[in-house]
Amino acid sequence: MNILLIGSGGREDAFVWKLSKEEEIKKIYVSPGHDGMTRFSKVTLLPDQSAEDLKDFAKDNAIDLTIVGPEAPLTQGIVDIFQEDGLRIFGPSKRAAQLEGSKIFSKNFMKKNGIPTASFETYDNYQLAVEGLANWPIESEGIVIKADGLAGGKGVVVTKNRSEAEHTLHDFMINPEISVKSDTILFEKVLPGDEVSVFALCKGLDSFYLGSACDHKRVGDNDTGPNTGGMGCFRDPSWPDKSLLKKIEERILRPTLKGCMADGMAYSGFLFMGLMIDELNDPYVVEYNVRLGDPETQTLLPLLEGPLGLFIKEFIDNGTTSGLSLKDEASVHIVATSGGYPSLDNNPLDLGHKINFKEEGVFLAGVKKNPDEDGYVNSGGRVLGTTATAKTVDQARERAYELMKEISFKGMHYRSDIALKKRGAIND
Ligand code: AMP
Ligand code: GLY
């Protein structure tokens, strides 16, 4: 089999690591990838290019399966473009990708299909939104304000402070100096509880559970500092437990797949369910993502046993769900970033420094070849991460930090409390 993989981060590095081990897979082309991926002999890097050009490449190079890492190509319709020519690609259609691409689309979808989520109001007029805010019990219950559309994690504010809520609304709808801009705005009730992300491989009404992970989104220890793409993750095999997973399947996963089918946008691809679990152990959807997470993928792929590429191909073609299994173990992944990350107000990152590392347990992300000698220098915000798996979260945590301590580069930063607090750690 020949694979085409789209993306360039740590998530895609984990895919390459996993797929490289499969005997059936001969070649893995990655667009655009990063220099570090060439440490795997099956990998060839391709330039970043349009979906049409990638499709032509897939046709000319006998690609058997295309896997898409990030959301942007999916929301732009790469799956529809490949499927027009009968190519095998794993991901949702442009329409179904709106479950991530438009928060309002996804909230309306959940409402229509009876999927538990926070109640909400939408506004496409600033004055009406200001009035809506005036009537909202912000001080007692808090409010979540969301800009519609993809905003790279910057389009959501949760607050109990009225003045912050008013400023956020003005920023998202009016202020030309703020990069997040949206004509439509969403107010949501604050969901209390513990946050967890649950992953499934889906096609039509068929699905395969890929595990769960808890992300740490703030840049600093104890959930302080600005939001990031994710500073580290853990999977606890004992939570969500079986009874909670059953509720998630019955109340969220199945109605989601049925709803997509009923709306003529049968879902294919990875589904990332961002959930809040309340004190009654009931799950609510915070968000859908139509892909795997970064760094959740680096946490979960080391727990998967069996050939993932072949599994996806057979799953797409025949709905087969044998040959892959999730180890009943814990996993912890820690991200190391460049100095200056997450680079607010376009402050420059501290880049170009030599990275000292051993390959064991390391996934590379924002790296490029060192122009002066062998090895790599840091070239992006999230530079690399370490993953360890073990029987318990504490054991995996200890090992992941041991691996991290063997790595160094100038300006390097990582959190010291990943997976420390277990449940609830990430509900800031
Ligand atoms: P989103 O981009 O919708 O995932 O929101 C980003 C983060 O904001 C989530 O991971 C949650 O931590 C938080 N959040 C979003 N919506 C809610 C909500 N209704 N209640 C509580 N927290 C929320
Ligand atoms: N780590 C969160 C995400 O990939 O969306």
Side-chain angles (χ1 to χ4, degrees), residues 103 144 146 156 188-191 195 217 276 286-287:
K103 291 185 188 302
V144 186
K146 298 186 177 181
V156 178
E188 266 183 41
K189 275 202 164 176
V190 178
L191 291 165
E195 210 170 342
K217 289 190 173 131
M276 197 70 87
V286 173
E287 63 164 350

Side-chain angles (χ1 to χ4, degrees), residues 35-36 352-357 367-379:
D35 288 349
H353 302 297
K354 180 183 170 184
I355 303 169
N356 303 300
F357 80 109
V367 306
K368 65 178 188 193
K369 275 198 185 114
N370 189 336
D372 304 321
E373 52 183 292
D374 278 355
Y376 307 103
V377 296
N378 62 322
S379 63

Side-chain angles (χ1 to χ4, degrees), residues 11 100 215 217 229-230 272 287 289 291-296 382:
R11 167 182 46 211
E100 174 166 1
D215 196 3
K217 289 190 173 131
F272 172 147
E287 63 164 350
N289 292 316
R291 52 176 173 84
L292 288 187
D294 185 340
E296 289 84 348
R382 292 190 290 179

Side-chain angles (χ1 to χ4, degrees), residues 68 73-74 77-84 89-94:
V68 188
L74 295 167
I78 191 170
V79 169
D80 311 57
I81 291 170
F82 272 57
Q83 286 179 344
E84 271 166 20
I89 181 165
F90 193 54
S93 64
K94 183 175 181 174

Side-chain angles (χ1 to χ4, degrees), residues 78-376:
I78 191 170
V79 169
D80 311 57
I81 291 170
F82 272 57
Q83 286 179 344
E84 271 166 20
D85 284 24
L87 295 173
R88 196 185 286 104
I89 181 165
F90 193 54
S93 64
K94 183 175 181 174
R95 258 187 85 205
Q98 289 180 87
L99 286 176
E100 174 166 1
S102 164
K103 291 185 188 302
I104 290 173
F105 178 91
S106 95
K107 292 296 281 191
N108 286 329
F109 174 87
M110 287 185 256
K111 195 170 164 188
K112 179 172 159 190
N113 291 287
I115 295 164
T117 188
S119 56
F120 66 101
E121 292 174 4
T122 62
Y123 293 93
D124 56 10
N125 172 296
Y126 178 64
Q127 275 315 320
L128 292 178
V130 168
E131 284 167 33
L133 209 56
N135 294 325
W136 195 283
I138 298 177
E139 292 80 359
S140 53
E141 292 182 14
I143 188 167
V144 186
I145 304 183
K146 298 186 177 181
D148 197 27
L150 296 175
K154 291 180 191 156
V156 178
V157 168
V158 186
T159 185
K160 277 195 157 189
N161 179 320
R162 184 165 294 278
S163 144
E164 188 187 3
E166 286 166 357
H167 276 106
T168 301
L169 180 63
H170 184 262
D171 281 350
F172 284 178
M173 291 191 94
I174 307 282
N175 189 348
E177 283 163 25
I178 301 291
S179 63
V180 175
K181 236 344 104 275
S182 183
D183 293 336
T184 320
I185 215 86
L186 198 94
F187 295 162
E188 266 183 41
K189 275 202 164 176
V190 178
L191 291 165
D194 296 320
E195 210 170 342
V196 65
S197 301
V198 172
F199 299 86
L201 244 141
C202 307
K203 180 164 184 266
L205 299 177
D206 294 329
S207 63
F208 180 83
Y209 173 60
L210 280 178
S212 66
C214 297
D215 196 3
H216 295 61
K217 289 190 173 131
R218 302 292 185 118
V219 74
D221 282 2
N222 299 313
D223 298 327
T224 52
N227 256 324
T228 70
M231 294 297 294
C233 246
F234 65 94
R235 188 256 177 161
D236 179 351
S238 66
W239 189 77
D241 60 13
K242 282 215 168 76
S243 79
L244 178 53
L245 285 174
K246 192 159 173 270
K247 287 185 194 174
I248 293 168
E249 191 189 343
E250 286 172 358
R251 299 180 193 176
I252 294 166
L253 178 57
R254 270 199 243 142
T256 300
L257 297 180
K258 271 193 191 163
C260 285
M261 189 74 102
D263 282 351
M265 50 175 205
Y267 195 90
S268 170
F270 298 107
L271 183 66
F272 172 147
M273 292 163 276
L275 308 176
M276 197 70 87
I277 312 300
D278 73 3
E279 76 258 21
L280 299 173
N281 221 24
D282 287 327
Y284 293 81
V285 177
V286 173
E287 63 164 350
Y288 292 111
N289 292 316
V290 297
R291 52 176 173 84
L292 288 187
D294 185 340
E296 289 84 348
T297 307
Q298 299 91 301
T299 315
L300 293 178
L301 291 196
L303 292 173
L304 283 182
E305 287 185 308
L308 179 62
L310 187 64
F311 179 90
I312 295 175
K313 178 173 174 286
E314 292 293 314
F315 181 67
I316 294 178
D317 290 351
N318 312 311
T320 314
T321 53
S322 57
L324 196 67
S325 61
L326 180 72
K327 272 199 248 177
D328 190 27
E329 285 195 0
S331 178
V332 172
H333 178 79
I334 303 158
V335 172
T337 65
S338 293
Y341 181 79
S343 182
L344 298 177
D345 307 321
N346 295 325
N347 282 339
L349 295 169
D350 187 8
L351 304 178
H353 302 297
K354 180 183 170 184
I355 303 169
N356 303 300
F357 80 109
K358 287 192 222 150
E359 283 197 16
E360 190 200 342
V362 174
F363 294 120
L364 299 175
V367 306
K368 65 178 188 193
K369 275 198 185 114
N370 189 336
D372 304 321
E373 52 183 292
D374 278 355
Y376 307 103

